[in-house]
Amino acid sequence: VFGHGTTQATNALIERRGTKTGLLTTRGFGDTIILQRLMGFTAGLPIERLGDFSSRAYPDPIVPRTLIAEIPERVDQAGNVLLELDEKAAREQIQRLVDEGVGAFAISLLWSFRNDSHEKRLRELVREIAGDAVYVSISSEINPILGEYERTATTVLNAYLGPTVERYLEMLERKLRDAGLTGRFSVLNSVGGVMGAREAAAKAVLLLGSGPTGGVLGSFHLANELGHDNIITSDMGGTSFDVGLVVGGKPVVKAVTEVAQYHVATPMVDITAIGAGGGSIAQVVNGKLLVGPESAGAHPGPVCYGRGGERVTVTDADVVLGVIDPDNFLGGRMKIDKAAAERAIQTL
């Protein structure tokens, strides 16, 4: 058995390198994902900064208004069809989005969790027009709950991240099978359970906290061994620094989580991720030092790795400041070039 926790979904969202996504929604509700029930401009702000109006801003849209298509159809709260799906209009809008270069589709219709027939038919039309390989997420499968905005946001993020996660998991599983793995390949999800790789690729939004959740669970089990019921966990990776809590002997879990200023309505271990990991790139813009969200990754990596990286990262700063001992990196198995990091920082 091979178990895997990953930050692929989280990193893709932080760095905004998901797939160009189109949204199909009920006519008259195209602005739902943009309005965010007026919660988007304060999402993620700490309480002490909520009164600082200059800090408030809506997130860059995952789906811009031009890629939102409103489809004539209507289902009521009991699941009764009030207006049949207009397939002609739907085909025209889907083709328009395909022509715009959309590589993934999110479908979120009003009251679809009561009657999913229109969403499923739209998925058939998308695949008929765009091909069977196109990535499609429908809200009645991803997040069949009351709450139009949260359901739509969760479905959109799933579509946006899905192709990236799917390619990664397919590549990883192929390499594992080629190396001789014959057993189960499981992926850690955001609430501490595991999923098969195929299900994880179909529900990529459930992996948003996958890697950091593993850190919280590992800390939780270690705390049990040491007799601690209340702990703060931390996990520093290449792109983010993640903090979680174990209270009363249980990891704290949230039903709705703010991710990149969007509200994701799937249970997640409550983790705060900051876009400043070891590979996060520093730059000076208009006299201000900014760090992240862009990351140098492992290749080429920080300047001090000597792998061709030319942009200063948090790791380079840690080496120069003495936080990291260049002579004992990976127990001395990896050579770190402190002088190169110093030269690079001087050029910022």
Side-chain angles (χ1 to χ4, degrees):
V1 174
F2 188 92
H4 180 53
T6 176
T7 58
Q8 276 290 319
T10 305
N11 293 350
L13 184 56
I14 290 174
E15 298 181 38
R16 289 301 180 92
R17 53 178 176 82
T19 300
K20 189 174 185 178
T21 301
L23 170 63
L24 305 181
T25 192
T26 302
R27 183 173 61 184
F29 293 86
D31 288 325
T32 294
I33 189 67
I34 296 174
L35 292 174
Q36 297 182 267
R37 291 207 281 118
L38 302 182
M39 299 190 299
F41 64 99
T42 58
L45 281 179
I47 293 175
E48 63 272 14
R49 291 181 58 194
L50 289 178
D52 183 0
F53 289 89
S54 63
S55 297
R56 296 184 176 189
Y58 277 96
D60 293 334
I62 297 295
V63 180
R65 191 64 181 83
T66 55
L67 298 182
I68 299 175
E70 298 184 12
I71 309 298
E73 68 85 38
R74 192 62 181 265
V75 171
D76 70 11
Q77 82 287 350
N80 301 311
V81 176
L82 301 180
L83 178 65
E84 292 289 348
L85 177 67
D86 187 334
E87 293 198 10
K88 181 177 182 296
R91 289 176 185 274
E92 291 173 352
Q93 290 293 342
I94 293 167
Q95 186 62 60
R96 177 181 69 82
L97 294 177
V98 170
D99 293 341
E100 291 278 351
V102 164
F105 283 81
I107 302 173
S108 182
L109 304 179
L110 204 63
W111 297 107
S112 61
F113 59 95
R114 294 293 192 189
N115 183 340
D116 62 4
S117 60
H118 287 178
E119 285 196 349
K120 288 183 174 178
R121 179 55 182 156
L122 280 175
R123 177 167 60 187
E124 291 174 354
L125 293 175
V126 168
R127 287 179 171 160
E128 177 184 319
I129 295 168
D132 290 336
V134 69
Y135 196 95
V136 186
S137 296
I138 64 175
S139 73
S140 53
E141 291 180 354
I142 297 299
N143 197 27
I145 64 167
L146 182 68
E148 178 194 341
Y149 157 57
E150 290 84 352
R151 180 162 50 85
T152 301
T154 305
T155 306
V156 164
L157 286 172
N158 193 77
Y160 178 73
L161 300 171
T164 299
V165 170
E166 186 175 54
R167 287 192 298 269
Y168 169 73
L169 291 178
E170 286 178 351
M171 175 275 297
L172 180 57
E173 184 165 22
R174 185 172 60 252
K175 288 188 174 183
L176 289 170
R177 300 300 179 193
D178 290 345
L181 178 69
T182 57
R184 187 172 68 251
F185 173 38
S186 298
V187 183
L188 183 69
N189 64 27
S190 58
V191 78
V194 295
M195 313 163 66
R198 186 166 297 179
E199 182 186 4
K203 297 184 177 180
V205 72
L206 298 182
L207 304 187
L208 274 172
S210 169
T213 294
V216 173
L217 293 178
S219 300
F220 162 67
H221 286 293
L222 178 59
N224 276 344
E225 293 291 326
L226 299 175
H228 299 299
D229 289 336
N230 303 297
I231 62 171
I232 299 171
T233 72
S234 63
D235 180 358
M236 187 167 186
T239 306
S240 64
F241 181 87
D242 308 306
V243 179
L245 292 174
V246 173
V247 178
K250 296 180 181 179
V252 176
V253 175
K254 293 179 69 175
V256 178
T257 304
E258 297 169 356
V259 182
Q261 291 183 263
Y262 286 89
H263 295 76
V264 178
T266 59
M268 293 187 185
V269 173
D270 189 8
I271 297 168
T272 299
I274 303 169
S280 295
I281 293 171
Q283 56 184 324
V284 176
V285 179
N286 297 326
K288 294 182 178 180
L289 178 64
L290 302 178
V291 180
E294 188 180 359
S295 173
H299 297 278
V303 176
C304 63
Y305 278 15
R307 294 174 175 168
E310 298 179 348
R311 303 178 69 182
V312 176
T313 67
V314 170
T315 297
D316 293 308
D318 286 344
V319 169
V320 171
L321 292 171
V323 176
I324 293 175
D325 181 358
D327 297 322
N328 195 37
F329 197 74
L330 284 183
R333 296 191 302 276
M334 181 173 174
K335 182 176 176 58
I336 292 294
D337 191 341
K338 180 179 179 180
E342 290 176 336
R343 290 194 297 271
I345 287 175
Q346 289 172 353
T347 65
L348 272 180

